[in-house]
Amino acid sequence: AHAEGGEGQGQRGERQGVGFLEHRRAVGRHLALLAHRALAVGVVEAQHRKAVGHEAARALGASVPRQVVRHILPNALGPVIVAGTIDVAAAIIAESTLSFLGYGVQPPRSSWGLLLSNGEEFVGTDKAYLIYFPGLAVVLTVLAINFLGDGLRDAFDPQAKR
């Protein structure tokens, strides 16, 4: 079926991206693995940071769910929020990059990477703005998500409330 251009190539040698759902699933699976790692690291850090309070609660006979809710989760929440927002920003950049290279979302759907790829031919002309706006949208969105994560970490960090 792929007599010309090999696998992954269109009729005219163009790259054909994966389907919309497959693309989202791949990025989502990667994010799920990163979120699991962030939660595990956050819990371990919280256990080390609040070992005294956790041990005191255990000695006083607090139930395991109460120990987790009162001593471990509040301290693990900050690193998990930061890692989660960084992962969302990384997913936006990954999707834009894949679409720009022709491996992501394909027309008629649209993405910032596809808009950047379509506007690439106008660099240096009077229509160069076609590449500036999608690029600026990616940068501003990623920065906003990172600032949101930092703000949420500061709001939920029990160590900062002292």
Side-chain angles (χ1 to χ4, degrees):
H2 296 286
E4 291 182 25
E7 195 165 313
Q9 301 288 324
Q11 292 177 357
R12 293 175 282 147
E14 312 167 332
R15 295 195 188 279
Q16 290 187 355
V18 296
F20 181 72
L21 291 177
E22 289 85 4
H23 180 70
R24 296 292 188 249
R25 284 184 192 130
V27 172
R29 271 185 245 143
H30 180 69
L31 283 178
L33 291 173
L34 293 175
H36 179 267
R37 182 198 66 204
L39 181 60
V41 168
V43 168
V44 170
E45 285 179 1
Q47 286 176 335
H48 288 296
R49 197 178 322 147
K50 281 287 201 174
V52 174
H54 180 65
E55 291 298 322
R58 184 181 303 158
L60 290 173
S63 66
V64 172
R66 180 169 174 82
Q67 291 174 30
V68 169
V69 170
R70 295 281 298 168
H71 298 281
I72 295 175
L73 283 182
N75 290 297
L77 200 55
V80 170
I81 288 172
V82 171
T85 55
I86 289 172
D87 292 345
V88 169
I92 291 171
I93 292 171
E95 190 281 326
S96 296
T97 303
L98 289 172
S99 293
F100 177 78
L101 295 173
Y103 291 111
V105 175
Q106 298 295 310
R109 291 192 166 89
S110 185
S111 78
W112 286 326
L114 189 58
L115 291 174
L116 285 166
S117 180
N118 291 340
E120 185 181 20
E121 65 188 71
F122 297 108
V123 173
T125 68
D126 60 341
K127 293 185 178 183
Y129 61 87
L130 292 174
I131 199 166
Y132 298 145
F133 292 119
L136 189 62
V138 171
V139 169
L140 291 177
T141 302
V142 168
L143 282 174
I145 289 170
N146 284 332
F147 286 141
L148 175 70
D150 287 343
L152 289 173
R153 181 204 57 214
D154 293 344
F156 288 118
D157 189 9
Q159 301 297 324
K161 293 179 183 177
R162 291 184 194 183

